[in-house]
Structure formats: C-alpha cells, structure tokens
Amino acid sequence: MGKIPALTLSGNSDDVRTKMVLVAAKAAGVDLKFEAKAGVPSIQYGMKTIKYTGAMLRFVGKCLEDTEVYGNTFFESAEVDMWLDWSLMELEDPPADLERVLKVLEKHLDQRTFVVGQRFTLADVAASIPLIHLEQQGKVTALGTATKRWLNTCKEADPVKNILGSHSPPKTAQPVVPSRPAAASATTSIASTPLIDPYSSSVRGRTEIKKILAAEDGGKGLIGQKISVCGWVKTVREAEKGKLCFVQLNDGSVPLDIQVVIHSEAKGFDTLKGKVGTGASMKCIGQIVESPGRGQAVELSVKDSGEVILFGGVDAKDYPLSKKGHSHEFLRSIAHLRPRSNLIGCVARVRAALAQATHEFFRSNGFLYVHTPLITAADCEGAGEMFQVTTMMAEAEKDGKPLPMVNGKFDYSKDFFQKPAFLTVSGQLSVENYCCSLSKVYTFGPTFRAENSHTSRHLAEFWMIEPELAFADIFDDMNIAEDYLKYCVSYAMTHNRADLDFFEDKIEKGLIKRLENLLAEPFARLTYTEAIDILIKESPKAGFGVPVEWGMDLGSEHERYLAEKVYKKPVILYNYPKDIKAFYMRLNEDNRTVAAMDVLAPAIGEVIGGSQREERLDVLDRRITEMGLEPKDYWWYRDLRRFGSVPHSGFGLGFERLIMLTTGVENIRDVIPYPRYPGHAEF
C-alpha cells in the first residue's frame, strides 16, 4: 500500500471489536491511534471511515506489504479469510450453542499451534480475543485441550499482552497474561496437564515430543513443567563416569529428537546399564529445562523426583539400524524397521499429511468419497497388464487335478467369479458411475499393474486419487487438477515444515524453493502439438535420447525438459493424439486428438493424467472396438451414455508420485510403506 495517512480507531475500550482491531494492528505493525468514544468502532483513514469488524481487520492486515499477519502464501491468506468470517459469525456474537462452536475449534486445533500456518495471524486474533472476552465474563468455563493450549499461546503473544494490558475493561484492569505453569511437584499427576495424549493410560500418560519441540517457542513455554515422554532411543552416551546418561529420544511424531539427561539418582537408572542402546524403547519422566546445548531450546532433566522405565532393551550387535547412515536399498530389506530411520519417518508423516489434505480438499469442494472395487472384470486402460484373481490353481493343487479346460482355454465357469477377474488398474470406470448420479465424487485407494518394470518410477501396487466431475469439460479438469496439487503442497508446507527441512538438507537442495515456485504462479498450459513444436526446435540443444515427432508418447526426458528448462514451473499439456490414449477419452472434432491432459512437474515429469470423458455412445463404442476390447464387457459403462449422458471429466494422480514431488525422494520404492515390484512381496 506504500505510505498511508495516520489511522485513528474510535470506539469503546470495553468493546471486543475494539480489542480485536487494536491487537490486529499491533500484530501487523500498523501505527493505530486509539480514541475512546461511545458507539460502534470505526477507523478514520484520511477522509474515509471504515466500519464493520471484518473490514477493519482486513484493512490493518493489508496496510503493510512486509507483514505475515495475513498469511505467508496465497493459500494461507485464503484460510485466514475463511477463519475471519467463521470467527466473526460464530464468536463475535456467540450463539446459545457455544459448545458446538468450541467443538469445531477444538477439532481444527488438535494438530496445530495456530489457526493458520505457523505464526500468529488475523485468524488467531479474530478467534482468541472474543474467547478471552467470554472467559472474563464467565461464559466459557471449560475449553478442550487443544483450544486451551492454543489460547494460552495467543495470550502470550506480544500483541495480545500489549493491548489487553492497555485496554482491558475497568473491572479487570490488570493485563490478561497467564503466568508460566509452575513446576509440578513429585505428587502432581502428569495426566492433569493438557499436553497428555488421551490414549496413553497404559503408560500413565505421555506427551508427544512434537508438542514440546515443534511448539513455536521450541518448548520454552513448558520450562518447569513435569513431563513424561516415551519413545525409541536414537543415541545414548554416558558422562561423569557413568553418573549421567544422555539419551536422544524420538517417538515418531516429529523428526526432531528430544535430549533426555538422566541423573544417577533417578528411579530406574540402574536398570539401564547394558540394556539401553540405539533402538531401545523407554519412558522418561522429568522436568523440562532450558538446554545449554546448541540446536535445542529445551531438554528433559530426569533427577531424583523423576523416573525412567525401560520397555524393551536392544542387543547392539544384533540391531540392524545402528547410528551410522544406511543406503535406501538396505532400508528396503528391513521394511519392518525402516520407519525408525529419519528418512522413512519423514516420508511417513508427509504421506499421512498429503492423504489428509486430499480428503480435506475434495470434501471442502463438495465431493463425495466413493469406495471402488479392487477386484474387477474390466480393464480400464486396455493394456492387459493386470494381476489375475483366481481360486482355480489352489483348488487344483489341493485336489491333485489339472486345471479345468474347455477347447484349450481355462474353464472360468469353475472359478470363484465364474469369469476372468483381475486386480483393478484404476477405479475410474467405477467412480464414473457415481459421478453420473452424484455430480462430484472421488476415489482414493490401491491399484495394481503387472508391469515387469524395475525402474525407480514404477510399482506393482500403488495408490491413486481419482476425482470425477459431472457437467465439466477438459478446462474444468485442468483447473481442479492445478488447485488440488497446489493445495496438497501448501498443506505439507504448513503442517510438515520440519520434515521438509530434513528433505531439503539430506535429499534435495533447493526443495523448498521448488515447492514455493510451484505455488507462486499459474501453471503453464499448451497443447500437445505446441509442445512437440517446442521440443523439435529445442532438440539440437537438448540432445534427447528419443527423437521427437508428432504422435509419440512423450518420455520423462521430454516432460521434464518442458517443465524444468522451457517454463521452469509445472506445465499442463492437453489435446493428445488419440492413438496413445485410452478409449474413454473424448474424441476432439479433428478426429486426431482427444481431450486429454497431463500435468508435468519439475523433478518428476508427469504427476497427473486426466481427460474429458467420451459421453457419446456411438463414439465410445467405436473407440472401444479400435482398442481391441469388447463393448459387451462394458455394458454398464455404456448404460451411462444411454440413460441421461452428460459431459464429465476427471483425472488420476499416483499418490506416490505426489509424495516424490513434495519430498524430493527419487525412488518410488521409498515413499510407500511396503513396496511391491517384481520379485519383492515381503512383509
């Protein structure tokens, strides 16, 4: 906005709306003069008057360009707007069923430090100030664990402390700033603190390490509290001739380890001798103290009032995950233990976050989640590379008889399904049925390809996200594909920054910048034909291994060249030659191309493939026949075109490709818990 005229807020100092605007201005670094007056709060901006709480909050949030109070990315800003509206509607004038409102807030804050992102924003202002106001009035007496933790964090924020101290109502003239919790006594029940995992009664309560180390202040707000942590030992060393034991403990909730300093007077110290090494599991009860070490704000000190309990010891000579680094190939050979490695632990957390983001994105956009079958008689791709499902072999082996044959072919009438059946290669055809009744649907589940491939990009079993939209064309399809991809990446950037920092440091230098670039601007869009022209022109300089010509199926080298060298950002190609695409993709008017699209991303290549579906029955039948398939096998799919056919579109995204894009991990076998590929089906 540049230089702005002097701003003056007038209003009643007891009014919660006044407090919200003052706190927002302080958080945004905006110089806002306050004049106590009766009436509705308003901001004088030059000759203009700004009224209404939402307008005033948004105004001060956007006054200065270098503030992050309105979010750090486009998506965070959108989330801030959403929560501003929600808070002003639900909390500014609280309803009679306040309990319902608080449940919504509690669920949202369960895994979050702040309402949006990793810092105090306008979303926190709009929600916390009314709650503090209601607390002062005695209208809120019980808050959920997550809401209480978040509200205490907000109260400790400088803008809140500053304003509530200066403009609190006369009856509570002192600032509303909570003191740090006092150190728990030896008899204090750890389960009484809000940090306790509610499902940890078997160990008498525990606090997840992420709630300590991943806090905005690195855990400093917990200094003095008695805490119980459980986890697996990463490293252990003794000091002061065995009177001290330094343990790096991790519970999988965060990539960071908490340092536990165990003193010889602690209960259970003697049980550790010779049994605690890398991989051992234990519980430590002690006090959070400031850490003198570098790289950590706090540590857990276990002294005479504390206790250590060894759950499971480890014989160091037998444990395969020693402190040294291990190759990714070796880790695959111990897939049951590799989640304890930093790499796979980070991958697992990002994978879980992206799955959560997937469901949140589609649910928030009105899609229904449909469970499609894993066993099918239809080949979606028409490729024939499918795993067959049969009970005939087991029965023949059991009975000692040959397989039933008729005219030299297997007699499938004797099989379980009485016809050839396979593991699905895609849920698309099945989910299309629901799309043509419910408008917007998606499926998210495992799919299978019997490709004898040993590359770093292929698996025999992988997961697919496949949305379908009725009344939508190829351009709608491209729009939602781009929005979905950006939402997932933004979600990981917000919720898994520590994991992404690990990948930045250990896997791909420049990962964070690449992801930020993906979010920064619209994807490039061009037709397949335009892409071929560009690649032919660039071929002398690029030196492609496979010559470029119209009609070819672009290889990874071509896709990545477009995304990484030509456009330097994700690219969407559309209108592909019909001969290299599936039968269900809508034939264009030129009769040479179909309304198909692929999203190509730097470092990955193709990450999404989709199309407008063929809704014309006669064209669909012709395409099925051209692909060497039998129309009668797709009678139910054809019925959709016979009974109320509509234009519709969809896409498929390989979930593991999305994880590779987000983490920088190059081998697809390292982004799925138990990779299945030729010759490998262990665990």
Side-chain angles (χ1 to χ4, degrees), residues 423-561:
L423 292 180
T424 185
V425 297
S426 169
Q428 178 208 314
L429 301 188
S430 298
V431 83
E432 269 193 67
N433 297 341
Y434 273 68
C435 163
C436 292
S437 296
L438 303 175
S439 294
K440 294 196 293 186
V441 295
Y442 74 104
T443 186
F444 181 7
T447 55
F448 309 86
R449 303 285 171 93
E451 298 176 356
N452 191 21
S453 174
H454 294 265
T455 74
S456 62
R457 292 166 52 86
H458 293 90
L459 289 170
E461 177 186 328
F462 55 98
W463 287 63
M464 289 281 289
I465 294 102
E466 298 173 293
E468 290 289 326
L469 307 80
F471 316 107
D473 62 15
I474 186 65
F475 299 101
D476 297 310
D477 204 32
M478 289 190 280
N479 290 340
I480 194 169
E482 179 172 345
D483 290 347
Y484 166 68
L485 199 58
K486 286 184 172 180
Y487 185 92
C488 287
V489 171
S490 177
Y491 191 96
M493 293 278 280
T494 300
H495 296 88
N496 295 80
R497 188 53 184 256
D499 296 303
L500 297 185
D501 287 341
F502 169 85
F503 293 122
E504 168 86 22
D505 183 47
K506 303 294 184 182
I507 302 299
E508 180 190 340
K509 301 296 183 184
L511 170 68
I512 302 298
K513 184 176 181 181
R514 175 167 64 78
L515 296 179
E516 289 174 342
N517 182 59
L518 182 148
L519 299 173
E521 55 183 292
F523 294 176
R525 298 188 184 188
L526 64 157
T527 66
Y528 168 91
T529 300
E530 291 170 335
I532 290 294
D533 291 342
I534 292 172
L535 291 171
I536 290 174
K537 187 181 298 183
E538 293 284 324
S539 288
K541 179 172 61 175
F544 296 124
V546 177
V548 179
E549 61 180 355
W550 197 95
M552 70 179 296
D553 196 357
L554 295 178
S556 179
E557 61 173 338
H558 309 113
E559 295 169 342
R560 292 185 60 176
Y561 190 86

